[in-house]
Amino acid sequence: MPDTPPTVTAPPLPPLTAQAERLIELGVHELVRIPADELRAFAEGAGSESGDALLAVHPDRLPASALAPLLRRDDKPGFVVVDMTDVDQFAPSGVELPGTPLYLVTAPDRGDHMANWSPDEALPALTEDGRTPLLLTEGIHWLLQQLAVLDRNHCFMTIGSRLRKANGELDARTPAIWISNGTGRDGRERRGAPKIGWCWWGNRHTWLGFASAVGRTAL
């Protein structure tokens, strides 16, 4: 494996009750058509105050294209790159989700120690460590709760989401979230904004880790 930089510890998550209020503040409950009180009740019933659980909405109920604009950095909304119009077709691959609208992602990690690895190298290593790669929607939910996780030169891929082509093969792209430099088709006005893009499955990037979790649970 290639040499890797030291891990930078991401900040802990807020309590689940605070996460629910954050989603309500953003209007997520309205997008999903779940009453605010139901969202609050789920968070209260889950009861984690340890900072290691993330409240997420099932991607079938709220896709990445709807979540991305809710991100804000330097007062600029998140966006999906123009050549990823099929972003919502990137579905869970090798990942089992609870069959509920709301669920918890346990102990998310940015995967800094795998920076400069390719997805092809990182996936088996995550599996061997007993971890599961994050979905793109889970990565966005994480940033909605703790934007400081998205740090320039310490961003991440979400290789739990893959696109399966009509012939049954997996598309060579893998989703990632990083910070726009405002170049090219991004536009200067988007410099510093959260950016949903993609990387090739076999390529390495020194500034992208591999976000993962211990697991997923529902109440």
Side-chain angles (χ1 to χ4, degrees):
M1 295 297 180
D3 293 335
T4 58
T7 297
V8 177
T9 302
L13 282 157
L16 289 172
T17 51
Q19 292 184 43
E21 293 302 327
R22 171 64 174 158
L23 295 182
I24 292 166
E25 174 190 346
L26 292 169
V28 167
H29 65 299
E30 295 174 343
L31 293 173
V32 187
R33 298 181 181 178
I34 291 178
D37 286 346
E38 184 176 328
L39 184 54
R40 292 187 177 105
F42 179 89
E44 290 170 0
S48 175
E49 303 291 327
S50 64
D52 68 348
L54 171 67
L55 177 56
V57 178
H58 197 291
D60 285 351
R61 297 291 297 270
L62 192 59
S65 64
L67 282 169
L70 302 180
L71 292 169
R72 297 197 75 86
R73 185 180 182 276
D74 295 341
D75 203 31
K76 298 173 183 178
F79 68 99
V80 180
V81 293
V82 297
D83 60 351
M84 202 177 182
T85 56
D86 53 1
V87 63
D88 292 339
Q89 297 177 36
F90 282 75
S93 177
V95 172
E96 185 174 348
L97 296 184
T100 54
L102 303 171
Y103 65 97
L104 302 181
V105 180
T106 307
D109 180 80
R110 202 166 53 186
D112 293 351
H113 63 291
M114 291 182 176
N116 205 33
W117 292 32
S118 71
D120 193 46
E121 294 165 335
L123 182 58
L126 289 173
T127 302
E128 185 176 349
D129 288 344
R131 298 188 64 86
T132 175
L134 285 197
L135 306 182
L136 174 57
T137 51
E138 294 169 348
I140 298 174
H141 273 293
W142 193 12
L143 298 180
L144 289 175
Q145 300 293 347
Q146 190 56 274
L147 186 60
V149 170
L150 193 69
D151 186 15
R152 194 172 289 280
N153 298 322
H154 294 288
C155 302
F156 56 88
M157 297 191 203
T158 52
I159 61 174
S161 296
R162 300 292 303 277
L163 173 62
R164 193 167 293 278
K165 299 186 289 187
N167 63 5
E169 295 180 358
L170 289 170
D171 192 278
R173 295 170 296 164
T174 184
I177 310 175
W178 68 95
I179 299 169
S180 174
N181 286 326
T183 57
R185 289 181 290 181
D186 289 3
R188 286 182 294 177
E189 70 280 3
R190 283 175 164 162
R191 179 174 174 80
K195 174 177 178 177
I196 312 300
W198 57 271
C199 303
W200 296 118
W201 184 259
N203 286 5
R204 298 171 178 168
H205 299 276
T206 59
W207 43 278
L208 287 174
F210 292 86
S212 68
V214 170
R216 299 167 178 84
T217 59
L219 294 183

